[in-house]
């Protein structure tokens, strides 16, 4: 039996708001640790970021922000793609040979957890 490896959605933070940008930083996205915990994202995890505001789409890695801070900060080159106030989606994937149940959350306009979304949508 041949195993087929696929990139499968594992984690998603939906409707997050960029709170800050720091183009002088080496690179990455800083994310409130509470949101990381709820989605299973780890520090240094590779993530895809998509802006619902500008259409920007890029890959970077996660740096944890203090829990409860609501911080979503674009760092380095990522700060050129997404500005404070933009609505974004943050997605983590896993290379696997089996189906996964993604941990998908919806946040409010201050990046506070609202609820889990089933199957990645309402």
């Amino acid at each position: 039996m041949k195993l087929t490896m696929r990139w499968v959605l594992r984690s998603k933070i939906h409707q997050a708001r960029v709170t800050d940008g720091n183009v002088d930083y080496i690179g990455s996205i800083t994310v409130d640790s509470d949101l990381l915990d709820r989605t299973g994202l780890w520090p240094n995890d590779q993530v895809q970021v998509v802006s619902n505001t500008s259409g920007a789409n890029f890959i970077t890695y996660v740096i944890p922000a203090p829990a409860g801070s609501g911080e979503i900060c674009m760092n380095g080159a990522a700060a050129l793609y997404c500005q404070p106030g933009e609505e974004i989606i943050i997605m983590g994937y896993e290379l696997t040979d089996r189906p996964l149940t993604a941990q998908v959350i919806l946040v409010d306009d201050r990046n506070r957890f609202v609820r889990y979304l089933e199957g990645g949508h309402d």
Side-chain angles (χ1 to χ4, degrees):
M1 181 164 121
K2 180 180 174 189
L3 296 177
T4 302
M5 300 297 283
R6 301 177 184 193
W7 288 105
V8 179
L9 181 69
R10 179 182 36 110
S11 307
K12 180 177 174 185
I13 302 170
H14 193 66
Q15 292 184 336
R17 293 277 174 185
V18 177
T19 59
D20 200 3
N22 182 359
V23 74
D24 294 324
Y25 192 78
I26 296 168
S28 68
I29 182 171
T30 306
V31 179
D32 182 318
S33 291
D34 283 342
L35 304 180
L36 299 179
D37 289 345
R38 288 189 179 271
T39 58
L41 286 168
W42 297 344
N44 300 311
D45 247 353
Q46 176 179 294
V47 291
Q48 177 183 13
V49 179
V50 177
S51 172
N52 288 338
T53 305
S54 69
N57 183 342
F58 56 93
I59 294 173
T60 190
Y61 64 94
V62 173
I63 293 179
S69 67
E71 183 177 353
I72 304 283
C73 181
M74 308 310 298
N75 300 303
L80 300 173
Y81 290 110
C82 293
Q83 304 299 311
E86 286 193 40
E87 181 182 290
I88 63 171
I89 302 168
I90 304 165
M91 296 168 283
Y93 300 89
E94 182 173 325
L95 184 61
T96 182
D97 63 350
R98 59 184 169 77
L100 295 177
T101 301
Q103 296 297 311
V104 180
I105 63 170
L106 177 68
V107 297
D108 65 15
D109 61 357
R110 296 181 342 164
N111 297 323
R112 306 285 190 239
F113 173 79
V114 173
R115 70 180 191 273
Y116 284 96
L117 299 177
E118 195 169 322
H121 51 79
D122 287 323

